[in-house]
Amino acid sequence: MKKKKIVIVGGGISGLTAGVYALKAGFEAEIYEKHSIVGGECTGWDREGYHVDNCIHWLIGTKEGSCLHNIWKDVGALENDLEIIQADKMYTSELNGEKITFWKDVERTEKELIDLSPEDEMEIKKLMKYVRIGEHAKIPADKPPEMMSAIDYIKLGGSMKDTMKLFKELEGKDTKDLMNCFKHPLIKCMLSDFCTKASLAYSFPMMYGNFISGDGGIPRGGSRAMAFRMQRKFESLGGKICTNADVVKIEIGDNGEATGINLANGEHISADYIICSCDTDYTFGHLIDESYMDSILREMYTNRKAYPVYGMFQIAFSVNSDIDAICGEIMLECNNIQVADWMSDRMSIKSYAYEPSFAPKGKQIIQVLIGLQEEAYDYWMELYKNKDEYQSKKEEIANKVLKKIEERFIEYKGKMKILDTWTPVTYHRYCNAYKGYNQSFMITKYSAKNKHPSANIKGIDNVVLAGQWLNPPGGLPVAAIQGKYSIQRILKKEKRSIKI
């Protein structure tokens, strides 16, 4: 019996995951990716002998014992002999000459926070209680929610009892509300250094909790290497990947089912099923008509207050020194660098000294990230119309940042060089990212109780959605989980067992 063929649009983490599980489930699978390499936003590139890593700060699911870890192993993202790098701190925040660090040793963090601000002791202890709850939280990844039975939900509720209490206690609050519980300006600042003020209040405790659990390690080699391992796994199972293959349309037949995809070069690829693991903004209005978009997803695109997105201005610097003065990731003020109100007055500086292969011997690479509001997208897209002005503005900001770093870290003075700069335009060009953002919508206190959009498309039964936009705020774990779920959804349509 001839195998049914699944065509996957997008070779990012979700598409690669879907591809591996499709092959494991007995389908024929092909991936079509517009870029020259796989990985989507989980990527990196080389500049002047240095490697710029553009995604993983740490990866949830690196610790054994979770459904998510099993997914990473299944798809080749993690391998038995792969080293997982464990940092001793999440990040350090500095403000007005003071600094505080979030250590993997949460007791040390708690003590240092109380030493910094004794008047905040009660709220600090409450925050650390939340963090310790987050330490034991697991991300459900066994089967799609609509396929879970009553017994499944009872078991899930039992395993997440403490986590649900945390959600209930912080219900209706966002990170700004959490910040306002504290008196010390640095403690307020360090919370919004990691989570946007509009993010839900439990976001920080859950992420820091994951970090201290040891489940958030960094796979040796970084983001691009992980995507390439997944590619090798997919191809070893018989999958086919076509890069530089820009999909421009899903062809719909007279019976209302999709017959295949059309490429920019005019080629038509037939398919029994199509998985759109690309950005949903590209799926609806480009690949298929926008009228197919379900009401929940449409609300996410129209209600900007409830579902904001963000952006980033990023810079990579080479450093002609092997002295690691940063020691991880540090957050600093940068209010004298702001181009407009949509640009953050804080910046993250990250050292990649833990990856000596990213730089020539005796040198290192550091990268800077400055957060942007979504209005920044229009500014950068307009500026990009004049390539010289676009490049000039990027260099102007990058040089100001270079000066700021040299002032703070005198060990680097005269030893730094700009390697590359990138903006929301970069993510739009290479990944068709909505407003140039490399994650999904932010869930806020105005949208926390709303449902997630359907992965099925009403009116086209053989097209299924995957990717991080189905489960905001997205990220690599969500992308992988939704890739797996897309195959389980097809298996259900085939009236087969969803166990892969």
Side-chain angles (χ1 to χ4, degrees):
M1 185 176 176
K2 185 180 178 183
K3 292 181 179 180
K4 290 196 173 180
K5 178 180 171 182
I6 297 177
V7 164
I8 300 163
V9 182
I13 298 305
S14 197
L16 289 165
T17 303
V20 171
Y21 278 113
L23 296 168
K24 284 177 173 287
F27 294 99
E28 183 183 338
E30 297 178 0
I31 295 174
Y32 291 83
E33 164 59 44
K34 70 171 287 187
H35 193 22
S36 58
I37 60 172
V38 300
E41 288 146 347
C42 182
T43 192
W45 53 90
D46 301 323
R47 290 288 184 274
E48 300 178 26
Y50 295 80
H51 180 70
V52 179
D53 191 276
N54 189 50
C55 187
I56 300 173
H57 281 231
W58 74 80
L59 183 69
I60 299 175
T62 54
K63 186 178 179 181
E64 292 185 6
S66 69
C67 287
L68 181 56
H69 180 81
N70 294 338
I71 291 175
W72 292 132
K73 292 294 290 288
D74 285 345
V75 300
L78 301 181
E79 297 173 338
N80 291 334
D81 59 349
L82 180 70
E83 180 187 357
I84 302 298
I85 302 162
Q86 297 287 350
D88 66 345
K89 60 184 176 182
M90 190 161 85
Y91 65 92
T92 297
S93 288
E94 293 190 5
L95 182 70
N96 300 327
E98 294 182 300
K99 66 180 181 179
I100 196 72
T101 296
F102 288 101
W103 301 99
K104 180 162 284 185
D105 181 349
V106 70
E107 282 75 24
R108 178 181 177 181
T109 301
E110 182 173 330
K111 181 182 182 302
E112 292 181 1
L113 283 169
I114 293 171
D115 289 345
L116 174 73
S117 182
E119 62 181 341
D120 282 317
E121 181 173 359
M122 185 182 299
E123 291 300 329
I124 290 167
K125 287 186 173 180
K126 189 186 294 184
L127 178 63
M128 292 301 107
K129 180 190 77 172
Y130 297 154
V131 169
R132 290 182 177 96
I133 292 173
E135 180 182 2
H136 303 288
K138 301 289 185 185
I139 300 175
D142 183 48
K143 64 181 74 170
E146 72 271 17
M147 298 182 194
M148 290 176 64
S149 66
I151 294 175
D152 290 329
Y153 277 107
I154 291 170
K155 288 180 179 178
L156 179 63
S159 67
M160 296 183 65
K161 183 171 60 175
D162 290 338
T163 307
M164 297 309 293
K165 286 180 181 178
L166 168 60
F167 292 169
K168 186 67 177 176
E169 192 167 340
L170 294 176
E171 186 176 5
K173 296 180 181 180
D174 56 24
T175 297
K176 185 177 181 180
D177 297 323
L178 188 63
M179 293 165 60
N180 290 336
C181 294
F182 297 91
K183 296 181 175 63
H184 199 288
L186 177 54
I187 299 179
K188 291 174 181 280
C189 183
M190 58 96 178
L191 290 170
S192 62
D193 273 344
F194 189 78
C195 299
T196 65
K197 293 177 182 179
S199 63
L200 295 176
Y202 61 70
S203 301
F204 175 82
M206 292 294 287
M207 291 306 297
Y208 185 29
N210 172 263
F211 179 79
I212 67 172
S213 76
D215 187 43
I218 306 170
R220 174 66 71 192
S223 307
R224 186 178 68 179
M226 187 177 92
F228 285 176
R229 285 193 298 274
M230 294 174 70
Q231 176 180 0
R232 289 196 296 272
K233 180 71 172 184
F234 176 71
E235 291 178 329
S236 73
L237 294 173
K240 174 184 175 183
I241 293 179
C242 296
T243 54
N244 295 306
D246 195 2
V247 182
V248 295
K249 186 180 179 182
I250 292 175
E251 201 70 46
I252 310 296
D254 294 336
N255 62 354
E257 287 200 345
T259 60
I261 59 171
N262 293 340
L263 304 182
N265 64 7
E267 188 179 357
H268 176 78
I269 310 296
S270 63
D272 295 297
Y273 286 97
I274 298 171
I275 295 174
C276 296
S277 69
C278 51
D279 197 296
T280 48
D281 180 58
Y282 188 74
T283 297
F284 298 100
H286 292 83
L287 299 183
I288 58 175
D289 193 82
E290 192 178 331
S291 62
Y292 286 106
M293 184 185 290
D294 84 353
S295 59
I296 297 172
L297 188 57
R298 190 178 301 278
E299 170 71 5
M300 289 178 167
Y301 281 108
T302 55
N303 191 340
R304 307 311 316 126
K305 181 179 181 181
Y307 298 99
V309 297
Y310 296 91
M312 290 168 285
F313 182 89
Q314 298 182 75
I315 316 160
F317 296 99
S318 64
V319 183
N320 188 19
S321 170
D322 60 1
I323 297 172
D324 183 12
I326 296 166
C327 299
E329 190 166 4
I330 191 165
M331 315 294 187
L332 301 179
E333 293 176 272
C334 62
N335 47 16
N336 60 333
I337 295 170
Q338 286 177 289
V339 172
D341 290 342
W342 42 252
M343 192 172 198
S344 175
D345 61 356
R346 304 279 294 172
M347 66 180 181
S348 157
I349 309 171
K350 181 175 172 63
S351 163
Y352 286 85
Y354 63 84
E355 281 282 11
S357 66
F358 283 8
K361 189 174 182 179
K363 306 176 189 294
Q364 61 180 299
I365 184 169
I366 62 175
Q367 292 176 207
V368 171
L369 186 156
I370 304 175
L372 309 174
Q373 299 293 319
E374 67 177 67
E375 308 93 87
Y377 173 74
D378 293 331
Y379 170 85
W380 288 108
M381 287 299 290
E382 183 64 29
L383 200 60
Y384 185 69
K385 293 177 181 177
N386 185 315
K387 304 297 191 299
D388 291 337
E389 289 184 11
Y390 176 73
Q391 189 62 33
S392 176
K393 178 57 69 175
K394 290 198 299 176
E395 289 178 4
E396 175 190 328
I397 297 171
N399 279 307
K400 287 181 179 179
V401 169
L402 186 152
K403 184 179 178 182
K404 181 81 174 176
I405 295 173
E406 288 186 335
E407 288 172 356
R408 171 60 183 82
F409 300 100
I410 58 173
E411 301 94 330
Y412 294 159
K413 190 170 180 62
K415 299 177 180 179
M416 294 177 59
K417 178 185 175 183
I418 301 167
L419 283 176
D420 204 358
T421 55
W422 59 108
T423 74
V425 174
T426 310
Y427 293 103
H428 175 76
R429 288 177 57 217
Y430 288 97
C431 306
N432 292 324
Y434 175 65
K435 290 189 178 290
Y437 188 40
N438 67 347
Q439 287 192 256
S440 179
F441 299 106
M442 181 62 63
I443 295 295
T444 67
K445 61 185 180 182
Y446 306 106
S447 54
K449 293 185 177 180
N450 296 354
K451 295 179 179 178
H452 291 155
S454 173
N456 296 307
I457 299 176
K458 189 175 181 180
I460 317 177
D461 192 53
N462 64 333
V463 176
V464 176
L465 302 178
Q468 61 177 347
W469 292 87
L470 292 177
N471 194 353
L476 294 181
V478 169
I481 291 167
Q482 290 297 329
K484 174 189 172 184
Y485 285 177
S486 67
I487 301 305
Q488 291 176 306
R489 286 167 172 138
I490 290 174
L491 286 169
K492 186 177 180 182
K493 291 174 185 290
E494 289 284 299
K495 296 181 170 54
R496 291 174 53 191
S497 168
I498 65 166
K499 188 174 178 62
I500 307 173

